[in-house]
Amino acid sequence: MKFSRSRGDRASGTPATDVEGAQAGGAAVAAPGTGLRGHRLIWLVAGIAVLSLLAGIVVSRLVVSPAQAAADAKAPAAGLITVPVEKKVIANDVTLRGDVKYDDAVQVKVETADLGGPAVVTGQVPELGAELGQTSIALEVSGRPVIVLPGDLPAYRTLRVGVSGPDVAQLKVALTAVGINPGNGGSDVYDAATATAVDKLYANVGYPSPTSGDDAKDGVESAARGVRDAEEALTSARAELSASKGGATEVEKLTADNAVREAERNLAAAQAGTPDPAAEPGAAPQPGDVAGAQDALTLARAERAALDKPKDVAAQTAAVTNAQRQLDDAKKALGEARTETLTALPASEVLFLSSLPRRVDEVLVERGATVSGPVMAVSGATLVIEASAGSSDAELLAPGAKATFVLPDDSQGAATVTSVEARKADAEGGESNADAKKGARFTVSLAPDALTPEQITLLQGSNVRLTIPVSSTAGEVLAVPLAALTAGPGGESRVEVLRGAPRAESTGKKDRATDLVPVKTGLAAGGFVEIVSSDDPLEPGDKVVVGK
C-alpha cells in the first residue's frame, strides 16, 4: 500500500519523501527546502524538452526520403548562356621571350707567328667593359702595340712594300677610315705611300714604327757600294770607246805621210842607181835594191791608208753595254735593299674588328702571361634583344615592327625588330623540306630604344617578355566572343541573338526567343572577333548566345 501511494505521489508531482514525512509527522507542512528543489526539477525537465524538439527539427531536415532524393538529383532545365555585344579595340599580338645582350660576341686572337720569340703580354690589358674603337690599343705584346682597325679579314701575314692582296686593300680602307691617306686607294699593292701612311698610324697611337733591323741597313750599304763600283766601271768603258772612235791624230798622219815620201825617194834612187860610197873615186854608179824599196813604199802607203779608216770598236762597245747592265742590277739591288727598310705592318701588331666600337666582355690574359690562344672576348657596343620564334609567329614579323617589354624595375621599354632570320640548321633544310620548315625556329633580333645607363645595367643578361602588335582594329569596333559564332548551311558566319519575351515550347519548357543573324567578321584576337556588318543591326549590349 505504501508502494502504490508513492507512485501516485510521483505522478501528481509530489515527491515521495514529502508524503512519507507528512504521514510520519501527522502534519500538512513540508520540510524546510523542499519547495526550492521542486522548481529546479521543473526547469530541468523543460530544458530537456526544448532540446529534444530542436534535435527533432534538425534530424527531420537531414533525413531525405528516396523520392525527394531522386527529385533533387534531376538536372535543372536547360537555359541559354548569353553575353553582351561589346564595343572594344581588338589587337593581335605576338608574345616572345628575349635575352638581352650585346651584339656579335666573338673571341679575339692575336697573330704571333712573326714575333720570332715568346709572345709575352707586357701591358695595355683592357678592363672588363672597356670599349675598343678605331686605333685603340687592344693589348701590348712584347713591348709592341696591337692596334685596332676596322675590317672583317683577320691579319695573317706581315704587310710590306711589294706585297698585294685583299688584306692590303682592307688596310688601305681602314687607314682612310681613320683619316690617313694610304696612297692609291684603288690598288691592292703595299707601296711606299702605304708605308708612309703606316708610319703616321704609329705616330698617332704614340708608338715608334717597326724597325727593319741591322741586317737590312747593312744590305743597303752593300748595295750602295755595288752601285758606285758599277758606275766607275761604266765610266772607264765609255772613255775607252770614245777614244777608239776618235781615229789617228794629225801627228800620226804626218808621220805616215813622211814615211810614204821617204819610201818613194828610196825607190827612185834604187831605180836610178847611186854611187857606192865605198867604191873607188870615178867608179861608175851601181843599181840599188829596187824590189826592197818597192816593198817599203807599199807598206808605208798601207799604213797611211789605215789611219784614214774607222777603227773596230765592237769590243769597247760590248764593254760599255756590260758595264751599264751591271750598274742597272746594282741600282735594283739598292732599291730592294731600301725597300726592306721601309715601314712594314706586322700581323702581330694589328687587330681587325668589324662593327666598331666593341665592348670587352671577358679578358683571358694578364700582364706577364704568354699568349697561346684567345686574348679576350668582345661584343658590339650596342645592346640587343634576341628572341626565338616559331614559323607561325615569324611569318607575322618584319623589320621595323615595334615591341614593348617590361624592365626589371617594372618600367616599360620599347624596341624595334631589326631582323627575322631562320636559324642556320633550319635554313639549310632546303625548299623541298616544307614540312620541316613549318616547325623551324627563327631568331628575332630587336634594338631597344634609348636607355639610361642604369637601365642598361639592369637589362644586361636578363630575359624579358616581348609583346609585338602585328594587327589591330582602327579604334573600337563591335565585337563578340568567338564562341558566339556558328556556321550557316552555306558556310556563312552567324550569331544567335536573344530577342523578345520568354516563349513556351510544346515540351512545356519556357525559353527566350532568339534569331540567327548572319554576320561578316573581321580581325579575331584575344578570344573576340570583330563584327564588320550584320543582316540585322547589332548594338552594344545586345545579348548573343554562347551556350545552352
Side-chain angles (χ1 to χ4, degrees):
M1 189 68 177
K2 181 179 179 182
F3 175 77
S4 62
R5 284 185 64 191
S6 176
R7 290 174 58 91
D9 292 341
R10 284 196 297 268
S12 64
T14 303
T17 55
D18 291 345
V19 175
E20 293 172 354
Q23 290 175 348
V29 180
T34 303
L36 181 60
R37 290 195 299 271
H39 287 295
R40 286 179 177 174
L41 184 59
I42 292 171
W43 283 109
L44 177 62
V45 173
I48 294 173
V50 172
L51 291 175
S52 299
L53 176 62
L54 293 175
I57 294 172
V58 172
V59 171
S60 67
R61 291 183 176 274
L62 294 177
V63 177
V64 179
S65 67
Q68 182 62 42
D72 292 343
K74 292 178 64 177
L80 298 178
I81 303 173
T82 62
V83 295
V85 176
E86 297 184 36
K87 192 95 170 176
K88 63 183 300 180
V89 175
I90 297 179
N92 191 10
D93 300 334
V94 171
T95 302
L96 306 172
R97 301 294 305 188
D99 294 320
V100 183
K101 58 185 179 179
Y102 285 95
D103 64 333
D104 196 17
V106 294
Q107 286 192 327
V108 173
K109 293 184 178 181
V110 176
E111 177 59 52
T112 60
D114 60 353
L115 286 177
V120 179
V121 178
T122 54
Q124 297 283 13
V125 180
E127 295 182 356
L128 191 66
E131 189 173 282
L132 300 179
Q134 295 178 349
T135 70
S136 293
I137 304 302
L139 206 63
E140 187 181 274
V141 179
S142 300
R144 297 297 300 168
V146 179
I147 306 172
V148 178
L149 290 177
D152 297 321
L153 182 63
Y156 61 91
R157 62 173 176 171
T158 294
L159 301 180
R160 53 173 49 91
V161 174
V163 302
S164 61
D167 49 351
V168 178
Q170 175 178 261
L171 172 63
K172 289 187 175 184
V173 172
L175 291 171
T176 302
V178 300
I180 300 175
N181 182 7
N184 183 4
S187 170
D188 66 350
V189 177
Y190 191 109
D191 52 21
T194 313
T196 301
V198 172
D199 279 328
K200 188 172 182 180
L201 173 65
Y202 278 95
N204 288 352
V205 299
Y207 280 82
S209 299
T211 59
S212 55
D214 294 336
D215 291 343
K217 293 179 180 178
D218 293 342
V220 172
E221 293 179 0
S222 177
R225 286 194 299 270
V227 170
R228 289 194 297 270
D229 293 343
E231 288 176 341
E232 292 176 0
L234 178 61
T235 300
S236 176
R238 284 175 175 173
E240 185 176 350
L241 175 62
S242 178
S244 299
K245 288 182 177 179
T249 64
E250 290 299 323
V251 174
E252 291 175 337
K253 290 180 179 180
L254 289 175
T255 301
D257 288 341
N258 290 337
V260 171
R261 287 193 289 272
E262 183 179 1
E264 290 175 344
R265 287 194 295 271
N266 290 335
L267 177 60
Q271 290 175 342
T274 58
D276 185 358
E280 292 294 333
Q286 298 295 323
D289 185 2
V290 176
Q294 182 67 46
D295 292 340
L297 177 60
T298 301
L299 177 60
R301 287 176 175 173
E303 289 176 348
R304 178 62 185 84
L307 293 177
D308 290 334
K309 292 180 180 179
K311 293 184 177 180
D312 183 7
V313 293
Q316 292 81 355
T317 301
V320 170
T321 301
N322 185 55
Q324 182 64 59
R325 183 169 54 252
Q326 290 180 352
L327 178 59
D328 292 341
D329 291 343
K331 287 182 176 180
K332 182 179 179 181
L334 178 59
E336 291 175 350
R338 286 175 174 169
T339 295
E340 292 297 322
T341 64
L342 293 177
T343 300
L345 182 61
S348 60
E349 297 187 17
V350 64
L351 177 62
F352 289 101
L353 292 175
S354 60
S355 303
L356 293 175
R358 288 299 188 107
R359 181 183 182 277
V360 178
D361 294 331
E362 185 179 9
V363 179
L364 303 175
V365 294
E366 59 184 9
R367 189 175 182 182
T370 300
V371 176
S372 59
V375 296
M376 66 185 73
V378 300
S379 61
T382 303
L383 203 67
V384 297
I385 304 175
E386 192 171 282
S388 176
S391 58
S392 58
D393 286 337
E395 290 174 356
L396 302 174
L397 303 177
K402 299 296 182 180
T404 59
F405 60 93
V406 177
L407 281 77
D409 62 357
D410 293 330
S411 61
Q412 189 174 60
T416 303
V417 176
T418 57
S419 66
V420 181
E421 298 178 351
R423 291 182 178 177
K424 186 176 181 181
D426 297 328
E428 293 175 351
E431 292 297 332
S432 60
N433 195 0
D435 292 336
K437 283 189 173 294
K438 290 180 181 179
R441 302 296 298 178
F442 289 76
T443 298
V444 181
S445 298
L446 304 95
D449 289 357
L451 298 169
T452 65
E454 294 76 12
Q455 289 175 326
I456 291 176
T457 301
L458 286 173
L459 272 177
Q460 185 185 356
S462 65
N463 182 274
V464 296
R465 183 176 184 269
L466 297 159
T467 301
I468 309 172
V470 293
S471 58
S472 176
T473 57
E476 292 185 339
V477 296
L478 285 178
V480 299
L482 286 169
L485 289 181
T486 59
E492 72 278 7
S493 297
R494 60 187 186 178
V495 294
E496 188 174 359
V497 184
L498 192 62
R499 305 287 194 190
R503 62 185 179 186
E505 301 289 350
S506 58
T507 59
K509 298 179 182 178
K510 291 186 178 180
D511 204 346
R512 299 288 298 274
T514 60
D515 291 333
L516 289 173
V517 179
V519 295
K520 182 179 179 181
T521 60
L523 181 65
F528 282 82
V529 62
E530 175 189 3
I531 301 300
V532 176
S533 63
S534 59
D535 287 3
D536 291 335
L538 293 177
E539 299 292 338
D542 287 348
K543 302 291 185 179
V544 292
V545 177
V546 294
K548 298 181 180 180

